[in-house]
Amino acid sequence: MKTLKNHTLIYDNECPMCNLYSKGFTKCGMLDEDGREAFTELSGKNKNLIDFNRAKNEIALVDHDKNEVVYGLDSLLLIIGNSFPMLEKIARIKPLYWFFQKLYSFVSYNRKQIIPSPKNDTEQSCIPDFNMKYRMAYISFVVIFSAYILSEFSAKLGFNLERNFLREFAVCIGQIVWQTLFLKTYLKDKIWDYLGNMMTVSLIGTLLLIPALMTGFTPFFYIIYFGIVVLIMFLEHIRRCRILQLNFLPTISWILFRITALAIIILTNIEFKI
């Protein structure tokens, strides 16, 4: 690896993803050993150079030789391109660059909902601005992905259920509408943070169901497996609510809707079969 000398990456030390890949850059020699600096521990020199608010949304890379700063995708491409010039050239082709730029923003603006941090309550915390477009994009992605996987998995439960994407899509949308209407007064300004975290809980459950789709066991196995996944989602929902400093009300409302929706689907399907 070719080291990018005299550069400092200003990373969000309260974000596990940012922590991981910035540490990877230093460990593999793409940056100096001291080539990264925590956002909450900024030196006076770097604080004066960077756009403090922009650096919350786009990771900043400081060039100490030129006293210049690049942000976001450009900072990552500069580091990667120093060791792999061809990869940077490919990534900077206009259609690809546009896609990676959107992908970067998609992750960056939702990173606190993907992996929440309990240390987000100070002015110095690296909290990205709320972006409605990217929050809605994240919610939409999880809804569509979850509805597809649940549709595939439901056929394995043995309740005479058939694959039905629209049914599962309606359940996912119903969950969002239910929680929004039921909890809007309680959640107030935390509504979008909560919805983002709730969708990540759904995403975790969806990802856990995927391995089971590749197996061929009895319906009883899949019922037990599904129950374990729901338990994991339940515990994760509670954990995230604690981080958001919410009580058990969102979790009670969340699990109540899940149980009711599942019961209606099973009972309705049995009636139709009869």
Side-chain angles (χ1 to χ4, degrees):
M1 296 291 182
K2 185 179 178 183
T3 304
L4 186 62
K5 299 287 187 181
N6 297 321
H7 283 70
T8 302
L9 189 67
I10 311 300
Y11 72 103
D12 179 3
N13 53 309
E14 294 168 353
C15 169
M17 288 186 294
C18 303
N19 229 322
L20 185 64
Y21 75 71
S22 62
K23 189 174 183 179
F25 285 147
T26 58
K27 286 289 186 182
C28 69
M30 297 174 78
L31 285 172
D32 292 317
E33 287 187 10
D34 58 350
R36 67 174 191 151
E37 185 171 284
F39 187 90
T40 58
E41 301 169 4
L42 278 173
S43 63
K45 181 181 178 181
N46 286 334
K47 195 169 185 178
N48 289 331
L49 282 173
I50 70 169
D51 181 330
F52 192 74
N53 291 321
R54 185 178 179 183
K56 292 182 178 182
N57 302 320
E58 303 175 82
I59 195 165
L61 180 67
V62 180
D63 182 341
H64 296 291
D65 291 332
K66 300 178 180 178
N67 283 334
E68 294 178 350
V69 185
V70 292
Y71 296 88
L73 178 62
D74 289 325
S75 65
L76 300 183
L77 290 180
L78 187 60
I79 296 170
I80 295 169
N82 189 59
S83 294
F84 306 101
M86 186 57 67
L87 286 181
E88 182 183 8
K89 287 181 181 179
I90 293 171
R92 289 194 181 277
I93 296 172
K94 280 191 176 181
L96 288 177
Y97 182 81
W98 177 88
F99 171 76
F100 288 129
Q101 183 69 57
K102 295 299 181 183
L103 180 61
Y104 179 91
S105 297
F106 177 83
V107 174
S108 181
Y109 281 110
N110 291 297
R111 68 181 188 271
K112 298 298 183 180
Q113 283 66 53
I114 297 172
I115 305 181
S117 168
K119 301 177 181 179
N120 288 336
D121 55 353
T122 68
E123 290 184 4
Q124 300 300 313
S125 295
C126 190
I127 304 173
D129 296 330
F130 171 67
N131 188 296
M132 175 66 80
K133 179 176 68 174
Y134 287 109
R135 187 59 49 81
M136 289 301 296
Y138 179 62
I139 291 173
S140 300
F141 164 74
V142 177
V143 165
I144 294 170
F145 182 56
S146 295
Y148 173 75
I149 298 300
L150 282 168
S151 174
E152 294 293 312
F153 185 83
S154 62
K156 291 179 172 287
L157 291 174
F159 295 111
N160 294 318
L161 293 173
E162 297 178 354
R163 295 178 179 85
N164 189 324
F165 172 80
L166 291 179
R167 179 192 65 215
E168 302 302 337
F169 181 81
V171 171
C172 292
I173 293 294
Q175 177 83 84
I176 296 169
V177 173
W178 170 272
Q179 292 294 81
T180 300
L181 294 177
F182 188 75
L183 299 170
K184 189 174 182 180
T185 302
Y186 170 66
L187 293 172
K188 297 178 182 178
D189 60 336
K190 292 183 178 181
I191 183 68
W192 287 106
D193 284 341
Y194 169 76
L195 289 177
N197 276 278
M198 183 185 77
M199 297 316 294
T200 302
V201 171
S202 294
L203 180 60
I204 291 170
T206 300
L207 293 174
L208 290 174
L209 291 179
I210 291 176
L213 296 178
M214 305 172 189
T215 61
F217 298 113
T218 64
F220 180 74
F221 169 85
Y222 295 111
I223 293 171
I224 298 299
Y225 188 88
F226 185 70
I228 293 171
V229 170
V230 171
L231 176 61
I232 292 171
M233 292 171 66
F234 175 73
L235 295 175
E236 179 63 13
H237 193 278
I238 291 175
R239 186 184 77 86
R240 286 172 180 261
C241 283
R242 285 175 179 168
I243 291 174
L244 291 172
Q245 298 180 339
L246 302 174
N247 60 24
F248 286 103
L249 183 60
T251 302
I252 294 171
S253 174
W254 174 81
I255 199 68
L256 181 63
F257 178 87
R258 288 280 175 176
I259 293 172
T260 302
L262 182 60
I264 290 173
I265 289 171
I266 293 173
L267 291 174
T268 302
N269 189 71
I270 290 175
E271 286 179 5
F272 281 144
K273 293 293 182 181
I274 294 173

